[in-house]
Amino acid sequence: MSATTDTTISLPLVPSDEELAIRTAVRDIVEGFGADYARRCYEAGEPPSAMWKALAEQGFVGINVPEEWGGGGLGMWGLQLVGEELAAAGGATLMLVVSSAMSGSILPRHGTDAQKERWLRGVAAGTTKLAFAITEPDAGTNSHNLRTELRRDGDRYLLRGQKTYISGVEDAEGILVVSRLRHDDGTLGKPTLAIIDVDGPGFSRDEIPMPYLGPDKQWTLYFDDVVVEADRLLGGEEAGLGVLFDALNPERIIAAALANGMARRAIDQATKYANEREVWGQPIGAHQSVAHPLAEAKVEMEMTRLMTQKAAVLFDAGSPLAGEASNMAKYAAAKAAVHAVDAGIQAHGGNGFALEYGMSDMWWPARLMRTAPVSEQMVLNHVAQHSLGLPKSY
Amino acid sequence: MKIAVLVKEVPDAAVEKRIDASGRLDRSGEKNLNPYDTHAIEAAVQLKEGGTIPVEEIVAITAGPAGAERALHKAVSLGADRSVLLSDDAVAGSDVIATGYALAKLLERESPDLVLLGQQSDDGENYTIGAVVGEFLGYPSLTQVVKLDIAGETITAERQAEYGYDTVEIDLPAVISVGDAINEPRYPSLKAIMGAKKKPLEKITIADAGIEADKVGAAGSKIECGNFTEPPKKSGGTIIEDEDTSATVEQIVAWLDERKLI
């Protein structure tokens, strides 16, 4: 089943009372754990479970899931509000990307009722967390080169291969793995999606050491003939790219929302600092060399927030324009976040690096968004070819 | 049992409070539900959820401008079942007594068994409205209550006093203003936020409530405000340049000693 385009859905430019109340509630919940909560989780090597639970209990991590499956029914438009506020309050977690945005979007559109009952209800309630695995060591951004394969074995399947840079596996109950069916003639089919249990027989994983990217960890995964029952396939044996992008577009939208929130946090904090800090007899914000980079970051962030909201509304409407908008939002939001965090660190002088001020903790998470979930270069390739009609470059 | 919670819309805590040209608080900026009232709503919800006494209904009540609807939506999203807004220009400028009278008239229409409110408003900070309302209604009232138990018709309340806690027993119906230590208010759920506008909100005028016009507003208020002055600027304090640390320590110790602080 594919979503149909609903032309009655529009982008609200003036926030409603409900939107403001959702934003405030999410911010209040996250701020209640303290500004350094995510770093404390990272240092303890623990997932941000208490914050996730508090958000989940009030219905915010499943805000996008249809109401009939226990969600809030507000689609990706609702989830980007949550993502932005989460990041703006310093609580950005990639679990919101992989579980809420990706599984919470693909399951309603392509899952069977039994799969929705088994997985989607939990994703909506935040009690089930699903990671997502597509990237491979030898395929990188070339998803046509994926080599993780699924072989038929009677009425079930065996999964074999390797994935890398997979987020949040340590806190997930299952993983939505992208593989390809090995045909009888030895060729590999279109992308297949299957939900596997974490830490079942034949599955192993290694943590990839990373700088502070937030509370979540990154993993390399190994599948050594992991048994996959037929009812674990999402969208059939060869779901294909069309199905896959009902997870990848939400991933880009919510990555953009997190980047927007990080930019907001950096700008807000740096503005406060520049208003208070005096070294030449007046606040340093009076100097245009401090003020202008922050003002520029603000302009960029407001534009990318608008594009992110547009992408979310288009995705929710089932519009074919959602792909282009999601890519553009992610591209622009990542750049804007890096500019904002850079300007924020610079405005803080040496304090920009001290952990106490939290500015440097925004650097790698913001920088990550230029590379993941899809690199800037791949977005530009896509825009050049599909939006502009230039020759295919890859 | 029916619980009424008195709530108020106040300027957001982040807004610097100013007096406007008419001598009243400038309410043009961002506004919010008085944060102290959220403790009263939470106390009502906990009584309802606690199950020791059956609570049929929690009604949030306010007197304020039309925009105060938003504060009532928030009150409902935090657990009230419905709300009542007295919105009438005649009430603007009421002092504590006039406001207490108007609220008491609103409460008479509802005849609740228990009236709860926050310890103070974040703008007026009078701490007294509960007592005034209690007086008009002829109900007993308590302030700074931080623990509340109800058995039958009797309330056992613990109230924060200057030197410890008082335990007081009073009979229902009563007016209780709760201290902010009574509970940790919950956050509104998404479902409650989205459903807030679907809960009944009754807008009434002073005529609907049987409020006499000359007892409210500026005309009905005995308090007159004027001759406002800016609060005195804080002095800059004493800065001790730390050239020799032991000398600095001596200076600090002497400063504290002089004020009998050590």
Side-chain angles (χ1 to χ4, degrees), chain B residues 190-207:
Chain B
L190 175 65
K191 207 174 161 190
I193 289 170
M194 299 310 288
K197 284 186 180 166
K198 293 174 192 134
K199 297 276 182 73
L201 188 158
E202 188 188 6
K203 278 187 239 178
I204 58 175
T205 61
I206 58 165

Side-chain angles (χ1 to χ4, degrees), chain B residues 66-125:
Chain B
E69 273 179 45
R70 278 182 56 197
L72 289 176
H73 289 143
K74 176 139 191 210
V76 166
S77 76
L78 291 170
D81 298 299
R82 65 181 174 87
S83 58
V84 178
L85 168 62
L86 170 67
S87 189
D88 200 310
D89 291 342
V91 186
S94 296
D95 66 8
V96 175
I97 304 286
T99 305
Y101 160 73
L103 291 171
K105 295 301 278 183
L106 295 177
L107 287 163
E108 275 175 15
R109 296 173 77 240
E110 297 285 346
S111 24
D113 303 283
L114 177 63
V115 180
L116 295 174
L117 67 161
Q119 65 182 33
Q120 73 198 85
S121 65
D122 204 32
D123 51 1
E125 305 206 54

Side-chain angles (χ1 to χ4, degrees), chain A residues 17-18 20-22 25 28-29 58-60 63 72 74, chain B residues 30 32 70 73-74 186-191 193-194 197:
Chain A
D17 291 345
E18 286 83 359
L20 294 173
I22 290 167
D28 286 350
I29 291 172
Q58 302 309 95
F60 295 114
I63 189 171
L74 294 183
Chain B
E30 279 292 304
N32 210 337
R70 278 182 56 197
H73 289 143
K74 176 139 191 210
R186 69 196 68 190
Y187 299 105
S189 71
L190 175 65
K191 207 174 161 190
I193 289 170
M194 299 310 288
K197 284 186 180 166

Side-chain angles (χ1 to χ4, degrees), chain A residues 77-92:
Chain A
W77 180 80
L79 194 65
Q80 59 86 26
L81 298 178
V82 174
E84 185 189 313
E85 293 304 325
L86 191 66

Side-chain angles (χ1 to χ4, degrees), chain A residues 370-386:
Chain A
R370 282 186 58 198
T371 306
V374 59
S375 71
E376 267 173 17
Q377 290 72 19
M378 287 305 288
V379 173
L380 293 177
N381 284 338
H382 187 273
V383 171
Q385 184 186 341
H386 297 283

